[in-house]
Amino acid sequence: MTYYSEHSKVWVSVDCIVFGFENNKLKLLIGQRQMDPGRGEWSLYGGFVGAEESLEDAAHRVLNHLTGMKKVYMKQVGAFGAIDRDPGERVISVAYCALINVKDYDDKLRKKYGLQWVSLDALPKLYSDHNQMVKKAITLLRRRINSEPLSFNLLPKLFTLTQLQHVYEAILGEEVDKRNFRKRIKQIDFIESTGLIDKVTSKRGAALYRFNKKMYADDPTFRL
């Protein structure tokens, strides 16, 4: 028996908003579309949801195909379904935001798919409503950054407090007071000093810290 035959069908896709942090700036991974409509336009990376896939499975598949990475922070941003958002067909897209450390991403894959890291202040016009997706993703990050340990997904395993501060500033889009920031960070148990010194990014040598996932899991209450 065929159900819902009286209703029109629509396509469902996922789009991945992949953020990275480099040179003290929040960057977005974008590429030029390789298909019509919109061939050659700057775009997020996405794909259609398979018949046997959940939305989240499809998003993870697309992100893994793009980066080769599996354990990546990913959150749903929202659904975008304007009638005329895709000139090809009636397509509803569900956007997902992902945070990765740029240095963990195999640059060979980036080149293979013709992608580029672009800072948010230099973001071009993207295909369809992709700029709206990015704007909403940033808004969600700003709302969550003080209640979820998001920043550590953008940093190497060992980081300095200056690097952590720069991530916060890049996401918030504004400077934060250095003294107050460090005071609050040092009160958070799961941000622990390693006793190691960074002599690569800091001439004087800065203390290296790490995010203790187990300690956070035992007490996930987080406020900055």
Side-chain angles (χ1 to χ4, degrees):
M1 181 180 293
T2 301
Y3 298 99
Y4 314 127
S5 59
E6 71 275 20
H7 299 287
S8 59
K9 294 182 179 181
V10 299
W11 295 89
V12 179
S13 67
V14 292
D15 281 296
C16 292
I17 307 164
V18 183
F19 289 116
F21 179 71
E22 188 177 43
N23 298 326
N24 297 336
K25 290 188 175 183
L26 191 63
K27 295 188 174 183
L28 181 70
L29 195 62
I30 60 175
Q32 292 177 299
R33 281 176 65 86
Q34 302 298 311
M35 65 178 74
D36 293 318
R39 185 183 297 271
E41 292 184 34
W42 289 108
S43 170
L44 298 174
Y45 195 88
F48 288 100
V49 180
E52 303 299 322
E53 285 183 313
S54 68
L55 287 171
E56 190 168 309
D57 287 342
H60 279 292
R61 170 180 56 79
V62 169
L63 186 63
N64 177 253
H65 179 72
L66 175 67
T67 67
M69 301 165 69
K70 293 183 177 180
K71 294 183 179 180
V72 174
Y73 172 91
M74 179 182 286
K75 293 288 185 181
Q76 188 180 120
V77 172
F80 295 78
I83 295 174
D84 59 350
R85 66 172 302 276
D86 191 310
E89 292 286 351
R90 179 76 169 95
V91 180
I92 294 173
S93 182
V94 180
Y96 283 82
C97 173
L99 304 178
I100 67 174
N101 177 18
V102 172
K103 292 184 179 180
D104 287 342
Y105 178 29
D106 187 347
D107 205 50
K108 293 180 181 178
L109 284 176
R110 182 189 64 79
K111 293 178 180 179
K112 176 181 178 180
Y113 296 115
L115 304 173
Q116 291 187 24
W117 285 109
V118 179
S119 60
L120 294 182
D121 56 9
L123 193 64
K125 171 68 175 69
L126 301 179
Y127 175 73
S128 185
D129 50 8
H130 289 188
N131 285 91
Q132 295 176 34
M133 294 180 181
V134 174
K135 184 177 180 180
K136 187 171 182 180
I138 294 170
T139 298
L140 291 177
L141 288 180
R142 288 174 177 171
R143 288 176 181 172
R144 292 174 173 170
I145 192 171
N146 290 326
S147 59
E148 295 182 29
L150 304 177
S151 302
F152 309 106
N153 298 286
L154 297 165
L155 291 168
K157 291 182 179 179
L158 301 183
F159 53 85
T160 67
L161 293 186
T162 297
Q163 289 174 313
L164 182 59
Q165 180 181 333
H166 286 161
V167 169
Y168 270 81
E169 291 174 334
I171 292 176
L172 294 173
E174 61 185 21
E175 292 185 5
V176 299
D177 183 81
K178 180 178 179 179
R179 181 178 298 179
N180 289 334
F181 180 81
R182 294 195 172 205
K183 181 180 179 180
R184 286 179 289 176
I185 288 297
K186 290 181 178 180
Q187 293 173 344
I188 300 175
D189 292 337
F190 57 77
I191 302 177
E192 57 184 19
S193 175
T194 64
L196 301 174
I197 300 296
D198 171 31
K199 294 183 179 179
V200 177
T201 63
S202 174
K203 293 182 179 179
R204 294 183 178 180
L208 286 166
Y209 290 76
R210 65 184 165 210
F211 171 50
N212 189 319
K213 293 182 180 180
K214 184 179 184 304
M215 190 175 290
Y216 173 74
D218 291 340
D219 183 14
T221 302
F222 174 63
R223 289 291 183 274
L224 182 61

